[in-house]
Amino acid sequence: QLPGLYGIYFPYKTAGIQFSGPLPSYSTILLQMIVYVILDDFLFYWTHRLLHIPFMYKYIHKPHHSFKRSNAFAGEYFHPIDYLLSGTLPIVLATFVIRPHILVIWTWLALRIWEACDGHSGLDLIFVPFRYFPFRPGAQVHDFHHSQNVGNYGSMTSMWDWLCGTDLSYKDYLARQSAKVE
């Protein structure tokens, strides 16, 4: 995600993104990070879902799914068009809406990459802060997405999967697993 964002410097500068001057207040940073979660999650959900249309999946998104068991490297392993659609476009569009200080952009990028690695780690670790986000899908949900190749298109949250019903296959899977235990 970082290399593609270097090319966006002049459009960001033209749009009024601050690259120097006073740092934003903590409350401004927190508010902008919350807006990033909402916008990026919405945009990522729809671009990721688009990448699962058969043609897009076959020619663009399939390399990312070559990892049937998720691992942190899979979180950043993309076809270049996949990278532009799901790895860059949501962040860039959200940034144009928010117009944050560059510090906030870099903080968001660091959190987003960390979250992608965490979501692809195959582990739901108790000390990872994303685990405590509302509607957080977690690594197990994304493992199901990679192994079954269906639904669960969200990233930071599973809110759009819930709203659009693309989490139903995973819920059915959990119910079947629970029935086996009983």
Side-chain angles (χ1 to χ4, degrees):
Q1 293 168 349
L2 297 177
L5 293 173
Y6 286 120
I8 200 80
Y9 171 79
F10 290 108
Y12 275 2
K13 191 75 173 162
T14 304
I17 304 298
Q18 279 189 292
F19 288 86
S20 62
L23 296 176
S25 67
Y26 288 118
S27 59
T28 298
I29 293 171
L30 179 62
L31 176 64
Q32 289 177 341
M33 296 301 273
I34 290 168
V35 175
Y36 257 126
V37 168
I38 294 165
L39 290 176
D40 186 333
D41 199 55
F42 172 78
L43 294 165
F44 179 86
Y45 172 86
W46 288 104
T47 57
H48 189 195
R49 190 168 174 176
L50 173 74
L51 288 164
H52 279 266
I53 292 171
F55 175 83
M56 298 287 278
Y57 181 82
K58 182 178 179 180
Y59 294 106
I60 297 169
H61 194 56
K62 193 171 184 174
H64 176 73
H65 277 266
S66 63
F67 295 93
K68 295 299 178 194
R69 300 277 304 154
S70 288
N71 64 70
F73 296 107
E76 295 300 315
Y77 184 71
F78 299 108
H79 180 284
I81 295 172
D82 190 342
Y83 163 78
L84 289 172
L85 287 174
S86 67
T88 302
L89 187 66
I91 294 169
V92 169
L93 291 178
T95 299
F96 277 119
V97 171
I98 300 166
R99 297 177 192 262
H101 189 280
I102 191 67
L103 171 73
V104 177
I105 297 170
W106 285 107
T107 303
W108 177 251
L109 288 173
L111 287 173
R112 193 66 183 80
I113 292 168
W114 182 13
E115 182 280 327
C117 292
D118 175 58
H120 288 86
S121 72
L123 304 168
D124 279 321
L125 302 171
I126 61 169
F127 58 84
V128 175
F130 306 112
R131 177 186 178 100
Y132 304 101
F133 281 17
F135 289 103
R136 170 71 176 127
Q140 302 307 321
V141 173
H142 208 71
D143 276 353
F144 177 82
H145 171 78
H146 270 259
S147 66
Q148 303 301 309
N149 214 4
V150 62
N152 301 326
Y153 303 115
S155 178
M156 293 297 282
T157 77
S158 57
M159 182 179 69
W160 293 104
D161 285 301
W162 177 70
L163 287 171
C164 297
T166 51
D167 62 347
L168 297 178
S169 294
Y170 181 68
K171 288 178 179 175
D172 289 345
Y173 166 78
L174 290 178
R176 288 191 309 274
Q177 293 302 319
S178 179
K180 286 182 186 178
V181 172
E182 296 170 2

